[in-house]
Coordinates of all heavy atoms in Angstrom, one line a residue:
M1 N 73.4 159.5 122.3 CA 73.2 159.3 120.9 C 72.4 158.1 120.7 O 72.5 157.1 121.4 CB 74.6 159.2 120.1 CG 74.5 159.0 118.7 SD 76.0 159.1 117.7 CE 77.2 158.4 118.8
Y2 N 71.5 158.2 119.7 CA 70.6 157.1 119.4 C 70.9 156.6 118.0 O 71.0 157.3 117.0 CB 69.1 157.6 119.4 CG 68.1 156.4 119.5 CD1 67.9 155.8 120.6 CD2 67.4 156.1 118.3 CE1 66.9 154.8 120.7 CE2 66.5 155.0 118.4 CZ 66.2 154.4 119.6 OH 65.3 153.4 119.7
I3 N 71.1 155.2 117.9 CA 71.5 154.6 116.6 C 70.4 153.7 116.1 O 69.8 152.9 116.9 CB 72.8 153.8 116.7 CG1 73.9 154.8 117.1 CG2 73.1 153.1 115.4 CD1 75.3 154.1 117.3
V4 N 70.1 153.8 114.8 CA 69.1 153.0 114.2 C 69.8 152.3 113.0 O 70.4 152.9 112.2 CB 67.9 153.8 113.6 CG1 66.9 152.9 112.9 CG2 67.2 154.6 114.7
I5 N 69.7 150.9 113.0 CA 70.2 150.2 111.9 C 69.1 149.4 111.2 O 68.3 148.7 111.8 CB 71.3 149.1 112.4 CG1 72.4 149.8 113.1 CG2 71.8 148.3 111.2 CD1 73.3 148.9 113.9
R6 N 68.9 149.7 109.9 CA 67.9 149.0 109.1 C 68.6 148.2 108.0 O 69.5 148.6 107.4 CB 67.0 150.0 108.4 CG 66.1 150.8 109.4 CD 65.0 151.7 108.7 NE 65.6 152.7 107.9 CZ 65.9 153.9 108.4 NH1 65.8 154.2 109.6 NH2 66.4 154.8 107.6
S7 N 68.0 147.0 107.8 CA 68.6 146.1 106.8 C 67.4 145.6 105.9 O 66.4 145.2 106.4 CB 69.2 144.9 107.5 OG 69.7 143.9 106.5
Y8 N 67.7 145.7 104.6 CA 66.7 145.3 103.6 C 67.3 144.3 102.6 O 68.5 144.5 102.3 CB 66.2 146.5 102.7 CG 65.7 147.7 103.5 CD1 66.6 148.6 104.0 CD2 64.3 147.9 103.6 CE1 66.1 149.8 104.7 CE2 63.8 149.0 104.2 CZ 64.7 150.0 104.8 OH 64.2 151.1 105.4
T9 N 66.6 143.3 102.2 CA 67.0 142.5 101.1 C 66.5 143.1 99.8 O 65.4 143.6 99.7 CB 66.5 141.1 101.2 OG1 66.9 140.6 102.5 CG2 67.0 140.2 100.1
T10 N 67.4 143.2 98.8 CA 67.0 143.9 97.5 C 67.4 143.1 96.3 O 68.3 142.2 96.3 CB 67.7 145.3 97.5 OG1 67.4 145.9 96.2 CG2 69.2 145.1 97.6
T11 N 66.7 143.4 95.2 CA 67.1 142.7 93.9 C 68.1 143.5 93.2 O 68.7 143.0 92.2 CB 65.8 142.7 93.1 OG1 65.3 144.0 92.9 CG2 64.8 141.8 93.7
S12 N 68.4 144.8 93.6 CA 69.3 145.7 92.9 C 70.0 146.6 93.8 O 69.6 147.8 93.9 CB 68.5 146.4 91.8 OG 69.4 147.2 91.1
P13 N 71.1 146.2 94.5 CA 71.7 147.0 95.5 C 72.3 148.3 94.9 O 72.1 149.4 95.5 CB 72.9 146.2 96.0 CG 72.5 144.8 95.7 CD 71.6 144.8 94.5
I14 N 72.8 148.3 93.7 CA 73.4 149.5 93.1 C 72.3 150.6 92.8 O 72.4 151.8 93.1 CB 74.2 149.2 91.8 CG1 75.3 148.2 92.2 CG2 74.7 150.5 91.2 CD1 76.3 148.7 93.3
E15 N 71.2 150.1 92.3 CA 70.1 151.0 92.0 C 69.5 151.6 93.3 O 69.2 152.8 93.3 CB 69.0 150.3 91.2 CG 67.8 151.2 90.8 CD 66.8 150.5 89.9 OE1 66.9 149.3 89.6 OE2 65.8 151.2 89.6
V16 N 69.4 150.8 94.3 CA 68.9 151.3 95.6 C 69.8 152.3 96.2 O 69.4 153.4 96.6 CB 68.7 150.1 96.6 CG1 68.4 150.6 98.0 CG2 67.5 149.2 96.1
L17 N 71.1 152.0 96.1 CA 72.1 153.0 96.6 C 72.0 154.4 95.9 O 72.0 155.4 96.6 CB 73.5 152.5 96.5 CG 74.0 151.4 97.4 CD1 75.3 150.9 97.0 CD2 74.0 151.9 98.9
D18 N 71.8 154.3 94.6 CA 71.7 155.6 93.8 C 70.4 156.3 94.2 O 70.5 157.5 94.4 CB 71.7 155.2 92.3 CG 71.7 156.5 91.5 OD1 72.6 157.3 91.6 OD2 70.7 156.7 90.8
K19 N 69.3 155.6 94.4 CA 68.1 156.3 94.7 C 68.1 156.9 96.1 O 67.6 158.0 96.4 CB 66.9 155.3 94.5 CG 66.6 155.0 93.1 CD 65.4 154.2 92.9 CE 65.1 153.9 91.5 NZ 64.7 155.0 90.7
I20 N 68.7 156.1 97.1 CA 68.9 156.6 98.4 C 69.8 157.9 98.4 O 69.4 158.9 99.0 CB 69.5 155.6 99.4 CG1 68.5 154.5 99.6 CG2 70.0 156.2 100.7 CD1 69.0 153.3 100.4
K21 N 70.9 157.8 97.7 CA 71.8 159.0 97.7 C 71.1 160.2 97.2 O 71.3 161.3 97.7 CB 73.0 158.6 96.8 CG 74.0 159.7 96.6 CD 75.2 159.3 95.8 CE 76.2 160.4 95.6 NZ 77.3 160.0 94.7
H22 N 70.4 160.1 96.1 CA 69.8 161.3 95.5 C 68.4 161.6 96.0 O 68.0 162.8 95.8 CB 69.7 161.1 94.0 CG 71.1 161.0 93.4 ND1 71.7 159.8 93.0 CD2 72.0 162.0 93.1 CE1 72.9 160.1 92.6 NE2 73.2 161.4 92.6
G23 N 67.7 160.7 96.6 CA 66.4 161.0 97.1 C 66.2 161.1 98.6 O 65.6 162.0 99.1
F24 N 66.7 160.1 99.3 CA 66.5 160.1 100.8 C 67.5 160.9 101.6 O 67.2 161.5 102.5 CB 66.4 158.6 101.3 CG 66.0 158.5 102.7 CD1 64.7 158.9 103.1 CD2 66.9 158.2 103.7 CE1 64.3 158.8 104.4 CE2 66.5 158.1 105.0 CZ 65.2 158.4 105.4
V25 N 68.8 160.8 101.2 CA 69.9 161.5 102.0 C 69.6 163.0 102.1 O 69.7 163.5 103.2 CB 71.2 161.2 101.4 CG1 72.3 162.1 102.0 CG2 71.6 159.8 101.6
P26 N 69.1 163.7 101.1 CA 68.8 165.1 101.3 C 67.7 165.3 102.3 O 67.7 166.4 102.9 CB 68.4 165.6 99.9 CG 69.0 164.6 98.9 CD 69.0 163.3 99.6
L27 N 66.8 164.4 102.4 CA 65.7 164.5 103.4 C 66.2 164.2 104.8 O 66.0 165.0 105.8 CB 64.6 163.6 103.1 CG 63.9 163.8 101.7 CD1 62.9 162.7 101.5 CD2 63.3 165.2 101.6
V28 N 66.9 163.1 105.0 CA 67.3 162.7 106.4 C 68.3 163.6 107.0 O 68.3 163.8 108.2 CB 67.8 161.2 106.4 CG1 69.1 161.0 105.8 CG2 67.7 160.6 107.8
T29 N 69.2 164.2 106.2 CA 70.2 165.1 106.7 C 69.6 166.4 107.2 O 70.3 167.1 108.0 CB 71.3 165.4 105.7 OG1 70.7 165.9 104.5 CG2 72.1 164.1 105.3
Q30 N 68.4 166.7 106.9 CA 67.7 167.9 107.4 C 66.8 167.7 108.6 O 66.3 168.6 109.1 CB 66.9 168.5 106.2 CG 67.7 168.9 105.0 CD 68.7 169.9 105.4 OE1 68.5 170.9 106.0 NE2 70.0 169.6 105.0
M31 N 66.8 166.4 109.0 CA 65.9 166.1 110.2 C 66.5 166.7 111.5 O 67.7 166.7 111.6 CB 65.7 164.6 110.3 CG 64.9 164.0 109.2 SD 64.5 162.2 109.5 CE 63.3 162.4 110.9
S32 N 65.6 167.0 112.4 CA 66.1 167.4 113.7 C 66.9 166.4 114.4 O 66.6 165.2 114.4 CB 64.8 167.7 114.5 OG 65.2 168.2 115.8
G33 N 68.1 166.8 114.9 CA 68.9 165.9 115.7 C 69.8 165.0 114.9 O 70.5 164.2 115.4
F34 N 69.8 165.2 113.6 CA 70.6 164.4 112.7 C 72.1 164.5 113.1 O 72.6 165.6 113.3 CB 70.4 164.8 111.2 CG 71.4 164.1 110.3 CD1 71.1 162.8 109.8 CD2 72.6 164.7 109.9 CE1 72.0 162.1 109.0 CE2 73.4 164.1 109.0 CZ 73.1 162.8 108.6
I35 N 72.8 163.3 113.1 CA 74.3 163.3 113.3 C 75.0 162.7 112.1 O 75.9 163.3 111.6 CB 74.6 162.5 114.6 CG1 74.0 163.3 115.8 CG2 76.1 162.4 114.8 CD1 74.1 162.5 117.2
N36 N 74.7 161.5 111.8 CA 75.3 160.8 110.7 C 74.4 159.8 110.0 O 73.4 159.3 110.6 CB 76.6 160.0 111.1 CG 77.8 160.8 111.0 OD1 78.1 161.5 110.1 ND2 78.7 160.8 112.1
Y37 N 74.7 159.4 108.8 CA 74.0 158.5 108.0 C 74.9 157.7 107.1 O 75.7 158.3 106.4 CB 72.9 159.2 107.1 CG 72.0 158.4 106.3 CD1 70.8 157.9 106.9 CD2 72.2 158.0 105.0 CE1 69.9 157.1 106.3 CE2 71.3 157.2 104.3 CZ 70.2 156.8 104.9 OH 69.3 156.0 104.2
Y38 N 74.9 156.4 107.2 CA 75.7 155.5 106.4 C 74.9 154.5 105.7 O 73.9 154.0 106.3 CB 76.8 154.8 107.3 CG 77.6 155.7 108.1 CD1 77.4 156.0 109.4 CD2 78.8 156.3 107.5 CE1 78.2 156.9 110.1 CE2 79.6 157.1 108.2 CZ 79.3 157.4 109.5 OH 80.1 158.3 110.2
V39 N 75.2 154.1 104.5 CA 74.6 153.0 103.7 C 75.6 152.2 103.1 O 76.6 152.7 102.5 CB 73.6 153.6 102.6 CG1 72.9 152.5 101.9 CG2 72.6 154.6 103.2
F40 N 75.5 150.9 103.2 CA 76.4 150.0 102.5 C 75.7 148.7 102.0 O 74.8 148.2 102.6 CB 77.6 149.7 103.3 CG 77.4 148.9 104.6 CD1 77.4 147.5 104.6 CD2 77.0 149.6 105.8 CE1 77.2 146.8 105.8 CE2 76.8 148.9 107.0 CZ 76.8 147.5 107.0
P41 N 76.1 148.2 100.8 CA 75.6 147.0 100.3 C 76.4 145.8 100.9 O 77.5 145.9 101.3 CB 75.9 147.1 98.8 CG 77.1 147.9 98.7 CD 77.0 148.9 99.9
S42 N 75.6 144.7 101.1 CA 76.3 143.5 101.6 C 75.5 142.3 100.9 O 74.4 142.0 101.3 CB 76.1 143.4 103.2 OG 76.6 142.2 103.6
D43 N 76.2 141.8 99.9 CA 75.6 140.8 99.0 C 74.2 141.3 98.5 O 74.2 142.3 97.8 CB 75.4 139.5 99.8 CG 76.8 138.9 100.2 OD1 77.7 139.0 99.4 OD2 76.8 138.3 101.3
D44 N 73.1 140.7 98.9 CA 71.8 141.1 98.4 C 71.1 142.0 99.4 O 69.9 142.1 99.3 CB 71.0 139.9 98.0 CG 70.6 139.1 99.2 OD1 71.3 139.2 100.2 OD2 69.7 138.2 99.1
K45 N 71.8 142.6 100.3 CA 71.2 143.5 101.3 C 71.7 144.9 101.2 O 72.8 145.2 100.7 CB 71.5 143.0 102.7 CG 70.9 141.6 102.9 CD 70.9 141.3 104.4 CE 70.4 139.9 104.7 NZ 69.3 139.4 104.0
I46 N 70.9 145.8 101.7 CA 71.3 147.2 101.9 C 71.2 147.4 103.4 O 70.2 147.1 104.0 CB 70.4 148.2 101.1 CG1 70.6 148.1 99.6 CG2 70.7 149.6 101.6 CD1 71.9 148.5 99.1
V47 N 72.3 147.9 104.0 CA 72.3 148.2 105.4 C 72.4 149.7 105.6 O 73.3 150.3 105.0 CB 73.4 147.4 106.2 CG1 73.4 147.7 107.6 CG2 73.3 145.9 105.9
V48 N 71.5 150.3 106.4 CA 71.5 151.7 106.7 C 71.8 151.9 108.2 O 71.2 151.3 109.0 CB 70.1 152.3 106.3 CG1 70.1 153.7 106.7 CG2 69.8 152.0 104.9
V49 N 72.7 152.8 108.5 CA 73.0 153.2 109.9 C 72.7 154.7 110.0 O 73.3 155.5 109.4 CB 74.4 152.9 110.2 CG1 74.7 153.2 111.7 CG2 74.8 151.4 110.0
N50 N 71.8 155.0 110.9 CA 71.4 156.4 111.2 C 71.9 156.7 112.6 O 71.8 155.9 113.5 CB 69.9 156.6 111.3 CG 69.2 156.4 110.0 OD1 69.5 157.1 109.0 ND2 68.3 155.5 110.0
M51 N 72.4 157.9 112.8 CA 72.7 158.4 114.2 C 72.0 159.7 114.4 O 72.1 160.7 113.6 CB 74.2 158.6 114.3 CG 75.0 157.3 114.2 SD 76.8 157.6 114.2 CE 77.4 156.0 113.7
F52 N 71.3 159.8 115.5 CA 70.6 161.0 115.9 C 70.8 161.3 117.4 O 71.3 160.4 118.2 CB 69.0 160.7 115.7 CG 68.6 160.8 114.3 CD1 68.7 159.7 113.5 CD2 68.2 162.0 113.8 CE1 68.3 159.8 112.2 CE2 67.9 162.1 112.4 CZ 67.9 161.0 111.6
D53 N 70.5 162.5 117.8 CA 70.8 162.9 119.2 C 69.9 162.3 120.2 O 70.3 162.1 121.3 CB 70.7 164.5 119.3 CG 69.4 165.0 118.9 OD1 68.5 164.3 118.4 OD2 69.2 166.2 119.2
T54 N 68.6 162.0 119.8 CA 67.7 161.4 120.8 C 66.9 160.2 120.2 O 66.8 160.1 119.0 CB 66.6 162.5 121.3 OG1 65.8 162.8 120.1 CG2 67.3 163.7 121.8
Q55 N 66.3 159.5 121.1 CA 65.4 158.4 120.6 C 64.3 158.9 119.8 O 63.9 158.3 118.8 CB 64.9 157.6 121.8 CG 64.0 156.4 121.4 CD 63.6 155.6 122.6 OE1 64.1 155.8 123.7 NE2 62.6 154.7 122.4
T56 N 63.7 160.0 120.2 CA 62.5 160.5 119.5 C 62.9 160.9 118.1 O 62.2 160.5 117.1 CB 62.0 161.8 120.2 OG1 61.6 161.4 121.5 CG2 60.9 162.4 119.5
N57 N 64.0 161.5 117.9 CA 64.5 161.8 116.5 C 64.9 160.6 115.7 O 64.6 160.5 114.5 CB 65.6 162.9 116.6 CG 65.1 164.2 117.0 OD1 64.0 164.6 116.8 ND2 66.0 165.0 117.7
G58 N 65.5 159.6 116.3 CA 65.9 158.4 115.7 C 64.6 157.6 115.2 O 64.6 157.1 114.1
E59 N 63.6 157.6 116.0 CA 62.4 156.9 115.7 C 61.6 157.6 114.6 O 61.0 157.0 113.7 CB 61.6 156.6 116.9 CG 62.2 155.5 117.8 CD 61.4 155.3 119.1 OE1 60.5 156.0 119.4 OE2 61.8 154.3 119.8
A60 N 61.7 158.9 114.6 CA 61.1 159.7 113.5 C 61.8 159.4 112.2 O 61.1 159.4 111.1 CB 61.2 161.2 113.8
S61 N 63.1 159.1 112.2 CA 63.7 158.7 110.9 C 63.2 157.4 110.4 O 63.1 157.2 109.2 CB 65.3 158.7 111.1 OG 65.7 157.5 111.8
N62 N 62.8 156.5 111.3 CA 62.2 155.2 110.9 C 60.9 155.5 110.1 O 60.6 154.9 109.1 CB 62.0 154.3 112.0 CG 63.2 153.6 112.6 OD1 64.2 153.5 111.8 ND2 63.2 153.2 113.8
E63 N 60.1 156.4 110.7 CA 58.8 156.7 110.1 C 59.0 157.3 108.7 O 58.3 157.0 107.8 CB 58.0 157.6 111.0 CG 57.6 156.9 112.3 CD 57.0 157.9 113.3 OE1 56.5 159.0 112.9 OE2 56.9 157.6 114.5
M64 N 59.9 158.3 108.6 CA 60.2 158.9 107.4 C 60.7 157.9 106.3 O 60.3 158.0 105.2 CB 61.1 160.1 107.5 CG 61.3 160.9 106.2 SD 62.1 162.5 106.3 CE 63.8 161.9 106.6
A65 N 61.6 157.1 106.8 CA 62.2 156.1 105.9 C 61.1 155.1 105.3 O 61.1 154.8 104.1 CB 63.3 155.3 106.6
A66 N 60.2 154.7 106.2 CA 59.2 153.8 105.8 C 58.3 154.4 104.7 O 58.0 153.8 103.7 CB 58.3 153.3 107.0
K67 N 58.0 155.7 104.9 CA 57.1 156.4 104.0 C 57.9 156.6 102.6 O 57.3 156.3 101.6 CB 56.7 157.7 104.5 CG 55.8 158.5 103.6 CD 55.3 159.8 104.3 CE 54.2 160.4 103.5 NZ 54.6 161.5 102.7
W68 N 59.1 157.0 102.7 CA 59.9 157.2 101.5 C 60.1 156.0 100.7 O 60.0 155.9 99.5 CB 61.2 157.9 101.9 CG 62.0 158.3 100.6 CD1 61.9 159.5 100.0 CD2 63.0 157.5 99.9 NE1 62.7 159.5 98.9 CE2 63.4 158.3 98.8 CE3 63.5 156.3 100.1 CZ2 64.4 157.9 97.9 CZ3 64.5 155.8 99.2 CH2 64.9 156.6 98.2
V69 N 60.5 154.9 101.4 CA 60.7 153.6 100.7 C 59.4 153.1 100.0 O 59.4 152.7 98.9 CB 61.2 152.5 101.7 CG1 61.0 151.1 101.2 CG2 62.6 152.8 102.1
S70 N 58.3 153.2 100.7 CA 57.0 152.8 100.1 C 56.6 153.6 98.9 O 56.1 153.1 97.9 CB 55.9 152.8 101.1 OG 55.4 154.1 101.4
E71 N 57.0 154.9 98.9 CA 56.7 155.7 97.8 C 57.7 155.7 96.6 O 57.4 156.1 95.5 CB 56.5 157.2 98.2 CG 55.3 157.4 99.2 CD 55.3 158.8 99.8 OE1 56.3 159.6 99.6 OE2 54.3 159.1 100.5
N72 N 58.9 155.2 96.9 CA 60.0 155.4 95.9 C 60.7 154.1 95.5 O 61.1 154.0 94.3 CB 61.0 156.4 96.4 CG 60.5 157.8 96.6 OD1 60.4 158.5 95.6 ND2 60.0 158.1 97.8
I73 N 60.9 153.2 96.4 CA 61.8 152.0 96.0 C 61.3 150.7 96.6 O 62.0 149.7 96.5 CB 63.2 152.2 96.5 CG1 63.4 152.5 98.0 CG2 63.9 153.3 95.7 CD1 64.8 152.5 98.4
A74 N 60.0 150.6 97.0 CA 59.5 149.4 97.6 C 59.6 148.2 96.6 O 59.9 147.1 97.1 CB 58.1 149.6 98.1
Q75 N 59.5 148.5 95.4 CA 59.5 147.4 94.4 C 60.9 146.8 94.2 O 61.0 145.7 93.7 CB 59.0 147.9 93.0 CG 60.0 148.8 92.3 CD 60.0 150.3 92.8 OE1 59.3 150.6 93.8 NE2 60.8 151.1 92.1
L76 N 61.9 147.4 94.8 CA 63.3 146.9 94.7 C 63.7 146.1 95.9 O 64.7 145.5 95.9 CB 64.3 148.1 94.5 CG 64.1 148.9 93.2 CD1 65.1 150.1 93.3 CD2 64.4 148.1 92.0
Y77 N 62.8 146.0 96.9 CA 63.1 145.3 98.1 C 62.3 144.0 98.1 O 61.1 144.0 97.7 CB 62.7 146.1 99.4 CG 63.7 147.2 99.7 CD1 63.2 148.4 100.1 CD2 65.0 147.1 99.5 CE1 64.1 149.5 100.4 CE2 65.9 148.1 99.8 CZ 65.4 149.3 100.2 OH 66.3 150.3 100.5
T78 N 62.9 142.9 98.5 CA 62.2 141.6 98.7 C 61.9 141.3 100.1 O 61.1 140.4 100.4 CB 63.0 140.5 98.0 OG1 64.3 140.4 98.7 CG2 63.2 140.7 96.5
S79 N 62.5 142.0 101.1 CA 62.2 141.9 102.5 C 62.7 143.1 103.2 O 63.6 143.8 102.7 CB 62.7 140.6 103.1 OG 64.1 140.7 103.3
G80 N 62.2 143.2 104.4 CA 62.8 144.3 105.3 C 61.7 145.3 105.6 O 60.6 145.3 105.0
P81 N 62.1 146.2 106.4 CA 63.4 146.3 107.0 C 63.4 145.5 108.3 O 62.4 145.4 109.0 CB 63.6 147.8 107.3 CG 62.2 148.2 107.6 CD 61.3 147.4 106.7
A82 N 64.6 144.9 108.6 CA 64.9 144.4 109.9 C 65.5 145.6 110.6 O 66.4 146.3 110.1 CB 65.8 143.3 109.9
I83 N 65.0 146.0 111.8 CA 65.4 147.2 112.5 C 66.0 146.8 113.9 O 65.4 146.1 114.6 CB 64.3 148.2 112.7 CG1 63.7 148.6 111.3 CG2 64.8 149.4 113.5 CD1 62.5 149.5 111.4
I84 N 67.2 147.4 114.1 CA 67.9 147.3 115.4 C 68.1 148.7 115.8 O 68.6 149.5 115.0 CB 69.2 146.6 115.4 CG1 69.0 145.1 114.9 CG2 69.9 146.6 116.7 CD1 70.3 144.4 114.5
Q85 N 67.8 149.1 117.0 CA 67.9 150.5 117.5 C 68.1 150.6 119.0 O 67.7 149.7 119.7 CB 66.7 151.3 117.0 CG 65.4 150.8 117.6 CD 64.2 151.6 116.9 OE1 64.4 152.4 116.0 NE2 63.0 151.3 117.4
G86 N 68.8 151.7 119.4 CA 69.0 151.9 120.8 C 70.0 153.0 121.1 O 70.7 153.5 120.2
E87 N 70.0 153.4 122.4 CA 71.0 154.4 122.8 C 72.4 153.8 122.9 O 72.5 152.6 123.2 CB 70.6 154.8 124.3 CG 69.3 155.6 124.4 CD 69.5 157.1 123.9 OE1 70.6 157.6 123.8 OE2 68.4 157.6 123.6
T88 N 73.3 154.6 122.5 CA 74.7 154.2 122.6 C 75.1 154.1 124.1 O 74.7 154.9 124.9 CB 75.7 155.1 121.9 OG1 75.6 156.4 122.4 CG2 75.4 155.1 120.4
E89 N 75.9 153.1 124.4 CA 76.4 152.9 125.8 C 77.9 153.2 125.9 O 78.4 153.6 126.9 CB 76.1 151.5 126.3 CG 74.7 151.1 126.4 CD 73.9 151.9 127.4 OE1 74.5 152.3 128.4 OE2 72.7 152.3 127.2
I90 N 78.6 152.9 124.8 CA 80.0 153.2 124.8 C 80.4 153.9 123.5 O 79.9 153.5 122.4 CB 80.8 151.9 124.8 CG1 80.5 151.1 126.1 CG2 82.3 152.1 124.7 CD1 81.1 149.7 126.1
A91 N 81.1 155.0 123.6 CA 81.5 155.8 122.4 C 82.9 156.3 122.6 O 83.2 156.6 123.8 CB 80.5 156.9 122.1
Q92 N 83.6 156.5 121.6 CA 84.9 157.0 121.7 C 85.0 158.3 120.9 O 84.4 158.4 119.9 CB 86.0 156.0 121.2 CG 86.1 154.8 122.1 CD 87.2 153.9 121.7 OE1 88.1 154.3 120.9 NE2 87.2 152.7 122.3

């Protein structure tokens, strides 16, 4: 399993969450190799956790997210994304 974590600083976490829920989630859940997708606010940040079956599919989600963000919610972000990604080593 390949995990991608993206963190963005935002001016409006609630608005970003709503736009992600209704705009991006329907797209990402249809991607090849999709396993799970989580989003949570943390102070002035939005943290996104994606899980995919392979590195190729996980990295494709980064490309799709970058395009979607630039077209839909870039004005709500003040920085980001900071990206951490890699293959899982331990899972239960």
Side-chain angles (χ1 to χ4, degrees):
M1 181 169 35
Y2 196 78
I3 297 177
V4 178
I5 302 169
R6 291 188 296 272
S7 175
Y8 304 82
T9 304
T10 179
T11 57
S12 182
I14 300 305
E15 185 176 359
V16 169
L17 285 173
D18 185 62
K19 290 184 181 290
I20 288 172
K21 179 179 179 181
H22 295 100
F24 189 69
V25 170
L27 300 174
V28 74
T29 57
Q30 298 303 309
M31 291 187 73
S32 179
F34 172 82
I35 296 172
N36 268 317
Y37 185 83
Y38 302 96
V39 181
F40 62 93
S42 177
D43 298 323
D44 65 343
K45 297 194 183 323
I46 293 291
V47 180
V48 177
V49 180
N50 295 300
M51 296 177 190
F52 285 87
D53 61 346
T54 66
Q55 179 176 350
T56 299
N57 290 331
E59 289 177 350
S61 77
N62 284 339
E63 293 172 21
M64 186 169 71
K67 183 176 189 258
W68 187 86
V69 165
S70 72
E71 293 173 354
N72 295 279
I73 59 175
Q75 73 281 5
L76 299 174
Y77 288 140
T78 56
S79 74
I83 300 174
I84 301 170
Q85 57 191 6
E87 291 285 340
T88 57
E89 297 294 327
I90 301 171
Q92 293 186 14

